[in-house]
Amino acid sequence: MAEKVFSYVAEHGGEMAEKVFSFAEELGGVKWIKRQISYVYNFEKNVANVKDQLPSLKRKRERTEHAVDDATNSRKLEVIEGDVEQWQQSEATINEKAERLFEETERAKRRCLFGLCPNVKAMYQVSKKAEDLSKAAVNLLLAQQFPSVSYRPAPQGIRFTTIKDYETFESRAGNLEEIMNALKDPNVNMIGVWGTSGVGKTTLVKKAAEQANVDMIFDVMVLSEVSSNPDLRRIQGEIADALGFKFQVGTISGRSNQLRERLLKETKILVILDNILATLDLEELGIPFGNGHRGCKILMTSRDEHLLTEIGPDSLTIKVDALDDGEAWNLFEKMAGDVVKLQYLHPIAIEIAKRCGGSPILIKKIARCLRNKRDLHTWKEALQQLD
């Protein structure tokens, strides 16, 4: 019935439309009839409205794209706001729908019944879609009022918890004080902490970082374990993750440039490179140092002092010595428990503690295995393994 009315209106033009509208109102004010007929009557107008909106949307899209490109270039590396990305997706959707609408418009203009009457049903459907699409385009144009399209993510840095394995020794207290003084000294850019394996360099450095966080010496601190055969891509990735940004390129040199640019944005930053066992090129890695960025301090650990001075000739090096016999015994006794006071175990316990060579890590490992064990054979076996 509705399609017959639409056909009649289309055949007789505006005058007949007014009569149909009046008749509909007399029947009971059925406004929806008038509304539905208007879609056919305003077919050309509604489609034209969509075409009129597209150039304005295009200009808005281009301006947004320029701002997004600028924000995500290799120098800024900012993150695009969620509402900006949503706006871009909505704009693309409207353009896709507009293309389909114009194709449907051409089909709707083809008259049916051998060209004797208009295709009212198609005109109605297209006109209704056009009106909805035009409104969506207007709303999207009004919504494109972004104060900024992007933001620089807050760096996460190291997540600090209390260093549970840190033991307070007189020798370590002096080392910790040296590191803290160096971290606070504006004239010291690189600090190298070195000593034999197992003396607790990593634990000491993490304790220093924890204290630096409490003292708010740096805005952000990042850490990466280097080890032997340094994997530059992995190290770069760990630092980037801590800073909260993603690389836009895949090559080492490209990532190096992006990492350097990102680090330069931080006023006060501490980069911790732990367990360096081979030569490391900071330039190739993308870490600025010295006059390249006075606000970036680098704290390194290694077994070899020569490696540290090779990486940073002007670096301040701090040696971490093995525990003396008294410190070693106190730690062993604490970890193993009161069982070490037993007369038949005490001499063996003292000897085991000495053979650990003042290494806190080894002392803790063995003492925990022997904790509260009273079997003499077990203790003798542990002593033999240290030969």
PDB file of all heavy atoms in Angstrom, residues 294-326:
ATOM      1  N   ARG A 294      73.325  15.021  29.094  1.00  0.00           N
ATOM      2  CA  ARG A 294      73.823  15.110  30.461  1.00  0.00           C
ATOM      3  C   ARG A 294      72.817  14.594  31.480  1.00  0.00           C
ATOM      4  O   ARG A 294      73.188  14.240  32.605  1.00  0.00           O
ATOM      5  CB  ARG A 294      74.176  16.571  30.801  1.00  0.00           C
ATOM      6  CG  ARG A 294      75.241  17.207  29.923  1.00  0.00           C
ATOM      7  CD  ARG A 294      76.542  16.431  29.909  1.00  0.00           C
ATOM      8  NE  ARG A 294      77.150  16.274  31.232  1.00  0.00           N
ATOM      9  CZ  ARG A 294      78.283  15.638  31.454  1.00  0.00           C
ATOM     10  NH1 ARG A 294      78.926  15.045  30.454  1.00  0.00           N
ATOM     11  NH2 ARG A 294      78.774  15.549  32.680  1.00  0.00           N
ATOM     12  N   GLY A 295      71.549  14.516  31.094  1.00  0.00           N
ATOM     13  CA  GLY A 295      70.532  14.043  32.036  1.00  0.00           C
ATOM     14  C   GLY A 295      70.378  12.540  32.052  1.00  0.00           C
ATOM     15  O   GLY A 295      69.595  11.994  32.829  1.00  0.00           O
ATOM     16  N   CYS A 296      71.124  11.852  31.181  1.00  0.00           N
ATOM     17  CA  CYS A 296      71.040  10.382  31.104  1.00  0.00           C
ATOM     18  C   CYS A 296      72.254   9.782  31.790  1.00  0.00           C
ATOM     19  O   CYS A 296      73.391   9.959  31.334  1.00  0.00           O
ATOM     20  CB  CYS A 296      70.970   9.932  29.649  1.00  0.00           C
ATOM     21  SG  CYS A 296      70.924   8.136  29.434  1.00  0.00           S
ATOM     22  N   LYS A 297      72.035   9.064  32.882  1.00  0.00           N
ATOM     23  CA  LYS A 297      73.126   8.385  33.574  1.00  0.00           C
ATOM     24  C   LYS A 297      73.070   6.901  33.258  1.00  0.00           C
ATOM     25  O   LYS A 297      71.984   6.314  33.145  1.00  0.00           O
ATOM     26  CB  LYS A 297      73.033   8.600  35.080  1.00  0.00           C
ATOM     27  CG  LYS A 297      73.408  10.007  35.512  1.00  0.00           C
ATOM     28  CD  LYS A 297      73.999  10.023  36.899  1.00  0.00           C
ATOM     29  CE  LYS A 297      74.441  11.436  37.256  1.00  0.00           C
ATOM     30  NZ  LYS A 297      75.231  11.473  38.493  1.00  0.00           N
ATOM     31  N   ILE A 298      74.243   6.307  33.142  1.00  0.00           N
ATOM     32  CA  ILE A 298      74.328   4.886  32.807  1.00  0.00           C
ATOM     33  C   ILE A 298      75.047   4.162  33.941  1.00  0.00           C
ATOM     34  O   ILE A 298      76.153   4.532  34.321  1.00  0.00           O
ATOM     35  CB  ILE A 298      75.082   4.685  31.479  1.00  0.00           C
ATOM     36  CG1 ILE A 298      74.371   5.458  30.358  1.00  0.00           C
ATOM     37  CG2 ILE A 298      75.163   3.208  31.129  1.00  0.00           C
ATOM     38  CD1 ILE A 298      75.159   5.564  29.085  1.00  0.00           C
ATOM     39  N   LEU A 299      74.383   3.162  34.481  1.00  0.00           N
ATOM     40  CA  LEU A 299      74.924   2.355  35.575  1.00  0.00           C
ATOM     41  C   LEU A 299      75.125   0.938  35.054  1.00  0.00           C
ATOM     42  O   LEU A 299      74.167   0.287  34.624  1.00  0.00           O
ATOM     43  CB  LEU A 299      73.963   2.366  36.767  1.00  0.00           C
ATOM     44  CG  LEU A 299      74.336   1.552  38.010  1.00  0.00           C
ATOM     45  CD1 LEU A 299      75.696   1.952  38.549  1.00  0.00           C
ATOM     46  CD2 LEU A 299      73.262   1.702  39.079  1.00  0.00           C
ATOM     47  N   MET A 300      76.386   0.468  35.049  1.00  0.00           N
ATOM     48  CA  MET A 300      76.713  -0.824  34.448  1.00  0.00           C
ATOM     49  C   MET A 300      77.308  -1.776  35.489  1.00  0.00           C
ATOM     50  O   MET A 300      77.924  -1.334  36.456  1.00  0.00           O
ATOM     51  CB  MET A 300      77.730  -0.640  33.317  1.00  0.00           C
ATOM     52  CG  MET A 300      77.325   0.370  32.265  1.00  0.00           C
ATOM     53  SD  MET A 300      78.658   0.669  31.053  1.00  0.00           S
ATOM     54  CE  MET A 300      79.820   1.610  32.060  1.00  0.00           C
ATOM     55  N   THR A 301      77.113  -3.070  35.266  1.00  0.00           N
ATOM     56  CA  THR A 301      77.781  -4.078  36.093  1.00  0.00           C
ATOM     57  C   THR A 301      78.518  -5.050  35.186  1.00  0.00           C
ATOM     58  O   THR A 301      78.061  -5.371  34.083  1.00  0.00           O
ATOM     59  CB  THR A 301      76.797  -4.867  36.980  1.00  0.00           C
ATOM     60  OG1 THR A 301      76.023  -5.762  36.159  1.00  0.00           O
ATOM     61  CG2 THR A 301      75.864  -3.939  37.738  1.00  0.00           C
ATOM     62  N   SER A 302      79.663  -5.515  35.660  1.00  0.00           N
ATOM     63  CA  SER A 302      80.452  -6.476  34.892  1.00  0.00           C
ATOM     64  C   SER A 302      81.441  -7.171  35.819  1.00  0.00           C
ATOM     65  O   SER A 302      81.763  -6.674  36.902  1.00  0.00           O
ATOM     66  CB  SER A 302      81.212  -5.764  33.770  1.00  0.00           C
ATOM     67  OG  SER A 302      82.025  -6.683  33.051  1.00  0.00           O
ATOM     68  N   ARG A 303      81.951  -8.327  35.374  1.00  0.00           N
ATOM     69  CA  ARG A 303      83.011  -9.010  36.108  1.00  0.00           C
ATOM     70  C   ARG A 303      84.375  -8.391  35.779  1.00  0.00           C
ATOM     71  O   ARG A 303      85.336  -8.597  36.507  1.00  0.00           O
ATOM     72  CB  ARG A 303      83.036 -10.496  35.738  1.00  0.00           C
ATOM     73  CG  ARG A 303      81.737 -11.222  36.041  1.00  0.00           C
ATOM     74  CD  ARG A 303      81.794 -12.636  35.484  1.00  0.00           C
ATOM     75  NE  ARG A 303      80.487 -13.281  35.524  1.00  0.00           N
ATOM     76  CZ  ARG A 303      80.213 -14.454  34.977  1.00  0.00           C
ATOM     77  NH1 ARG A 303      81.177 -15.118  34.340  1.00  0.00           N
ATOM     78  NH2 ARG A 303      79.004 -14.967  35.052  1.00  0.00           N
ATOM     79  N   ASP A 304      84.414  -7.667  34.661  1.00  0.00           N
ATOM     80  CA  ASP A 304      85.682  -7.173  34.137  1.00  0.00           C
ATOM     81  C   ASP A 304      85.702  -5.646  34.129  1.00  0.00           C
ATOM     82  O   ASP A 304      84.934  -5.012  33.402  1.00  0.00           O
ATOM     83  CB  ASP A 304      85.871  -7.719  32.717  1.00  0.00           C
ATOM     84  CG  ASP A 304      87.234  -7.428  32.143  1.00  0.00           C
ATOM     85  OD1 ASP A 304      87.966  -6.601  32.730  1.00  0.00           O
ATOM     86  OD2 ASP A 304      87.564  -8.018  31.108  1.00  0.00           O
ATOM     87  N   GLU A 305      86.570  -5.059  34.903  1.00  0.00           N
ATOM     88  CA  GLU A 305      86.676  -3.586  34.939  1.00  0.00           C
ATOM     89  C   GLU A 305      87.098  -3.046  33.576  1.00  0.00           C
ATOM     90  O   GLU A 305      86.645  -1.972  33.161  1.00  0.00           O
ATOM     91  CB  GLU A 305      87.680  -3.158  36.008  1.00  0.00           C
ATOM     92  CG  GLU A 305      87.800  -1.640  36.133  1.00  0.00           C
ATOM     93  CD  GLU A 305      88.862  -1.221  37.132  1.00  0.00           C
ATOM     94  OE1 GLU A 305      89.732  -2.053  37.481  1.00  0.00           O
ATOM     95  OE2 GLU A 305      88.838  -0.054  37.563  1.00  0.00           O
ATOM     96  N   HIS A 306      87.955  -3.784  32.878  1.00  0.00           N
ATOM     97  CA  HIS A 306      88.441  -3.328  31.573  1.00  0.00           C
ATOM     98  C   HIS A 306      87.284  -3.119  30.588  1.00  0.00           C
ATOM     99  O   HIS A 306      87.285  -2.173  29.800  1.00  0.00           O
ATOM    100  CB  HIS A 306      89.444  -4.343  31.006  1.00  0.00           C
ATOM    101  CG  HIS A 306      89.897  -4.016  29.616  1.00  0.00           C
ATOM    102  ND1 HIS A 306      90.719  -2.946  29.322  1.00  0.00           N
ATOM    103  CD2 HIS A 306      89.620  -4.621  28.423  1.00  0.00           C
ATOM    104  CE1 HIS A 306      90.936  -2.894  28.022  1.00  0.00           C
ATOM    105  NE2 HIS A 306      90.286  -3.909  27.458  1.00  0.00           N
ATOM    106  N   LEU A 307      86.293  -4.021  30.643  1.00  0.00           N
ATOM    107  CA  LEU A 307      85.129  -3.878  29.749  1.00  0.00           C
ATOM    108  C   LEU A 307      84.395  -2.569  30.018  1.00  0.00           C
ATOM    109  O   LEU A 307      83.957  -1.876  29.094  1.00  0.00           O
ATOM    110  CB  LEU A 307      84.162  -5.049  29.947  1.00  0.00           C
ATOM    111  CG  LEU A 307      84.393  -6.315  29.120  1.00  0.00           C
ATOM    112  CD1 LEU A 307      83.374  -7.367  29.507  1.00  0.00           C
ATOM    113  CD2 LEU A 307      84.312  -6.012  27.634  1.00  0.00           C
ATOM    114  N   LEU A 308      84.256  -2.225  31.276  1.00  0.00           N
ATOM    115  CA  LEU A 308      83.524  -1.012  31.653  1.00  0.00           C
ATOM    116  C   LEU A 308      84.254   0.247  31.182  1.00  0.00           C
ATOM    117  O   LEU A 308      83.631   1.182  30.670  1.00  0.00           O
ATOM    118  CB  LEU A 308      83.319  -0.968  33.170  1.00  0.00           C
ATOM    119  CG  LEU A 308      82.502  -2.121  33.766  1.00  0.00           C
ATOM    120  CD1 LEU A 308      82.449  -1.997  35.286  1.00  0.00           C
ATOM    121  CD2 LEU A 308      81.094  -2.148  33.181  1.00  0.00           C
ATOM    122  N   THR A 309      85.565   0.269  31.356  1.00  0.00           N
ATOM    123  CA  THR A 309      86.327   1.446  30.925  1.00  0.00           C
ATOM    124  C   THR A 309      86.425   1.517  29.406  1.00  0.00           C
ATOM    125  O   THR A 309      86.599   2.585  28.832  1.00  0.00           O
ATOM    126  CB  THR A 309      87.742   1.428  31.535  1.00  0.00           C
ATOM    127  OG1 THR A 309      88.387   0.188  31.225  1.00  0.00           O
ATOM    128  CG2 THR A 309      87.673   1.587  33.045  1.00  0.00           C
ATOM    129  N   GLU A 310      86.304   0.366  28.753  1.00  0.00           N
ATOM    130  CA  GLU A 310      86.301   0.350  27.291  1.00  0.00           C
ATOM    131  C   GLU A 310      85.003   0.943  26.758  1.00  0.00           C
ATOM    132  O   GLU A 310      85.003   1.677  25.764  1.00  0.00           O
ATOM    133  CB  GLU A 310      86.465  -1.095  26.795  1.00  0.00           C
ATOM    134  CG  GLU A 310      86.668  -1.224  25.294  1.00  0.00           C
ATOM    135  CD  GLU A 310      86.914  -2.663  24.886  1.00  0.00           C
ATOM    136  OE1 GLU A 310      87.972  -3.210  25.237  1.00  0.00           O
ATOM    137  OE2 GLU A 310      86.029  -3.242  24.225  1.00  0.00           O
ATOM    138  N   ILE A 311      83.905   0.614  27.419  1.00  0.00           N
ATOM    139  CA  ILE A 311      82.605   1.167  27.011  1.00  0.00           C
ATOM    140  C   ILE A 311      82.534   2.653  27.321  1.00  0.00           C
ATOM    141  O   ILE A 311      82.073   3.456  26.510  1.00  0.00           O
ATOM    142  CB  ILE A 311      81.462   0.409  27.733  1.00  0.00           C
ATOM    143  CG1 ILE A 311      81.422  -1.044  27.272  1.00  0.00           C
ATOM    144  CG2 ILE A 311      80.113   1.094  27.465  1.00  0.00           C
ATOM    145  CD1 ILE A 311      80.507  -1.925  28.094  1.00  0.00           C
ATOM    146  N   GLY A 312      82.981   3.024  28.514  1.00  0.00           N
ATOM    147  CA  GLY A 312      82.966   4.437  28.914  1.00  0.00           C
ATOM    148  C   GLY A 312      84.291   4.820  29.526  1.00  0.00           C
ATOM    149  O   GLY A 312      84.501   4.603  30.737  1.00  0.00           O
ATOM    150  N   PRO A 313      85.211   5.365  28.738  1.00  0.00           N
ATOM    151  CA  PRO A 313      86.549   5.696  29.243  1.00  0.00           C
ATOM    152  C   PRO A 313      86.537   6.627  30.457  1.00  0.00           C
ATOM    153  O   PRO A 313      87.445   6.580  31.286  1.00  0.00           O
ATOM    154  CB  PRO A 313      87.212   6.380  28.032  1.00  0.00           C
ATOM    155  CG  PRO A 313      86.464   5.849  26.844  1.00  0.00           C
ATOM    156  CD  PRO A 313      85.064   5.674  27.305  1.00  0.00           C
ATOM    157  N   ASP A 314      85.508   7.461  30.552  1.00  0.00           N
ATOM    158  CA  ASP A 314      85.434   8.414  31.667  1.00  0.00           C
ATOM    159  C   ASP A 314      84.556   7.919  32.806  1.00  0.00           C
ATOM    160  O   ASP A 314      84.213   8.685  33.714  1.00  0.00           O
ATOM    161  CB  ASP A 314      84.910   9.767  31.165  1.00  0.00           C
ATOM    162  CG  ASP A 314      85.818  10.385  30.111  1.00  0.00           C
ATOM    163  OD1 ASP A 314      87.049  10.197  30.229  1.00  0.00           O
ATOM    164  OD2 ASP A 314      85.305  11.039  29.184  1.00  0.00           O
ATOM    165  N   SER A 315      84.168   6.652  32.747  1.00  0.00           N
ATOM    166  CA  SER A 315      83.245   6.142  33.772  1.00  0.00           C
ATOM    167  C   SER A 315      83.940   5.980  35.115  1.00  0.00           C
ATOM    168  O   SER A 315      85.137   5.705  35.197  1.00  0.00           O
ATOM    169  CB  SER A 315      82.652   4.799  33.328  1.00  0.00           C
ATOM    170  OG  SER A 315      83.677   3.838  33.184  1.00  0.00           O
ATOM    171  N   LEU A 316      83.160   6.165  36.180  1.00  0.00           N
ATOM    172  CA  LEU A 316      83.640   5.930  37.541  1.00  0.00           C
ATOM    173  C   LEU A 316      83.429   4.453  37.852  1.00  0.00           C
ATOM    174  O   LEU A 316      82.314   3.943  37.734  1.00  0.00           O
ATOM    175  CB  LEU A 316      82.850   6.790  38.528  1.00  0.00           C
ATOM    176  CG  LEU A 316      83.055   6.486  40.016  1.00  0.00           C
ATOM    177  CD1 LEU A 316      84.472   6.838  40.444  1.00  0.00           C
ATOM    178  CD2 LEU A 316      82.032   7.230  40.857  1.00  0.00           C
ATOM    179  N   THR A 317      84.487   3.745  38.211  1.00  0.00           N
ATOM    180  CA  THR A 317      84.353   2.316  38.500  1.00  0.00           C
ATOM    181  C   THR A 317      84.422   2.057  39.998  1.00  0.00           C
ATOM    182  O   THR A 317      85.217   2.667  40.722  1.00  0.00           O
ATOM    183  CB  THR A 317      85.454   1.503  37.782  1.00  0.00           C
ATOM    184  OG1 THR A 317      86.734   1.958  38.206  1.00  0.00           O
ATOM    185  CG2 THR A 317      85.319   1.627  36.279  1.00  0.00           C
ATOM    186  N   ILE A 318      83.566   1.153  40.447  1.00  0.00           N
ATOM    187  CA  ILE A 318      83.473   0.804  41.869  1.00  0.00           C
ATOM    188  C   ILE A 318      83.597  -0.715  41.996  1.00  0.00           C
ATOM    189  O   ILE A 318      82.800  -1.458  41.414  1.00  0.00           O
ATOM    190  CB  ILE A 318      82.128   1.275  42.465  1.00  0.00           C
ATOM    191  CG1 ILE A 318      82.000   2.795  42.353  1.00  0.00           C
ATOM    192  CG2 ILE A 318      81.982   0.817  43.907  1.00  0.00           C
ATOM    193  CD1 ILE A 318      80.617   3.325  42.699  1.00  0.00           C
ATOM    194  N   LYS A 319      84.598  -1.160  42.733  1.00  0.00           N
ATOM    195  CA  LYS A 319      84.811  -2.594  42.880  1.00  0.00           C
ATOM    196  C   LYS A 319      84.019  -3.142  44.071  1.00  0.00           C
ATOM    197  O   LYS A 319      84.015  -2.566  45.154  1.00  0.00           O
ATOM    198  CB  LYS A 319      86.299  -2.901  43.077  1.00  0.00           C
ATOM    199  CG  LYS A 319      86.585  -4.404  43.148  1.00  0.00           C
ATOM    200  CD  LYS A 319      88.057  -4.691  43.370  1.00  0.00           C
ATOM    201  CE  LYS A 319      88.305  -6.197  43.428  1.00  0.00           C
ATOM    202  NZ  LYS A 319      89.722  -6.525  43.694  1.00  0.00           N
ATOM    203  N   VAL A 320      83.354  -4.275  43.837  1.00  0.00           N
ATOM    204  CA  VAL A 320      82.639  -4.971  44.901  1.00  0.00           C
ATOM    205  C   VAL A 320      83.469  -6.198  45.271  1.00  0.00           C
ATOM    206  O   VAL A 320      83.631  -7.126  44.478  1.00  0.00           O
ATOM    207  CB  VAL A 320      81.227  -5.404  44.457  1.00  0.00           C
ATOM    208  CG1 VAL A 320      80.509  -6.114  45.595  1.00  0.00           C
ATOM    209  CG2 VAL A 320      80.421  -4.204  43.980  1.00  0.00           C
ATOM    210  N   ASP A 321      84.035  -6.193  46.470  1.00  0.00           N
ATOM    211  CA  ASP A 321      84.882  -7.302  46.908  1.00  0.00           C
ATOM    212  C   ASP A 321      84.047  -8.441  47.480  1.00  0.00           C
ATOM    213  O   ASP A 321      82.868  -8.267  47.837  1.00  0.00           O
ATOM    214  CB  ASP A 321      85.867  -6.821  47.979  1.00  0.00           C
ATOM    215  CG  ASP A 321      86.927  -5.886  47.412  1.00  0.00           C
ATOM    216  OD1 ASP A 321      87.481  -6.217  46.347  1.00  0.00           O
ATOM    217  OD2 ASP A 321      87.164  -4.827  48.026  1.00  0.00           O
ATOM    218  N   ALA A 322      84.695  -9.584  47.582  1.00  0.00           N
ATOM    219  CA  ALA A 322      84.048 -10.728  48.242  1.00  0.00           C
ATOM    220  C   ALA A 322      83.892 -10.408  49.724  1.00  0.00           C
ATOM    221  O   ALA A 322      84.602  -9.566  50.280  1.00  0.00           O
ATOM    222  CB  ALA A 322      84.899 -11.975  48.046  1.00  0.00           C
ATOM    223  N   LEU A 323      82.965 -11.081  50.375  1.00  0.00           N
ATOM    224  CA  LEU A 323      82.767 -10.882  51.814  1.00  0.00           C
ATOM    225  C   LEU A 323      83.991 -11.389  52.575  1.00  0.00           C
ATOM    226  O   LEU A 323      84.625 -12.385  52.179  1.00  0.00           O
ATOM    227  CB  LEU A 323      81.528 -11.646  52.283  1.00  0.00           C
ATOM    228  CG  LEU A 323      80.183 -11.270  51.643  1.00  0.00           C
ATOM    229  CD1 LEU A 323      79.082 -12.173  52.210  1.00  0.00           C
ATOM    230  CD2 LEU A 323      79.847  -9.811  51.863  1.00  0.00           C
ATOM    231  N   ASP A 324      84.334 -10.707  53.651  1.00  0.00           N
ATOM    232  CA  ASP A 324      85.424 -11.230  54.478  1.00  0.00           C
ATOM    233  C   ASP A 324      84.902 -12.428  55.271  1.00  0.00           C
ATOM    234  O   ASP A 324      83.700 -12.731  55.259  1.00  0.00           O
ATOM    235  CB  ASP A 324      86.005 -10.148  55.395  1.00  0.00           C
ATOM    236  CG  ASP A 324      84.982  -9.554  56.360  1.00  0.00           C
ATOM    237  OD1 ASP A 324      84.104 -10.315  56.835  1.00  0.00           O
ATOM    238  OD2 ASP A 324      85.057  -8.353  56.654  1.00  0.00           O
ATOM    239  N   ASP A 325      85.811 -13.116  55.968  1.00  0.00           N
ATOM    240  CA  ASP A 325      85.411 -14.356  56.661  1.00  0.00           C
ATOM    241  C   ASP A 325      84.300 -14.121  57.686  1.00  0.00           C
ATOM    242  O   ASP A 325      83.387 -14.955  57.832  1.00  0.00           O
ATOM    243  CB  ASP A 325      86.632 -14.967  57.361  1.00  0.00           C
ATOM    244  CG  ASP A 325      87.607 -15.568  56.369  1.00  0.00           C
ATOM    245  OD1 ASP A 325      87.219 -15.740  55.197  1.00  0.00           O
ATOM    246  OD2 ASP A 325      88.757 -15.863  56.763  1.00  0.00           O
ATOM    247  N   GLY A 326      84.368 -12.997  58.385  1.00  0.00           N
ATOM    248  CA  GLY A 326      83.349 -12.712  59.403  1.00  0.00           C
ATOM    249  C   GLY A 326      81.982 -12.491  58.784  1.00  0.00           C
ATOM    250  O   GLY A 326      80.971 -13.032  59.260  1.00  0.00           O
TER     251      GLY A 326
END
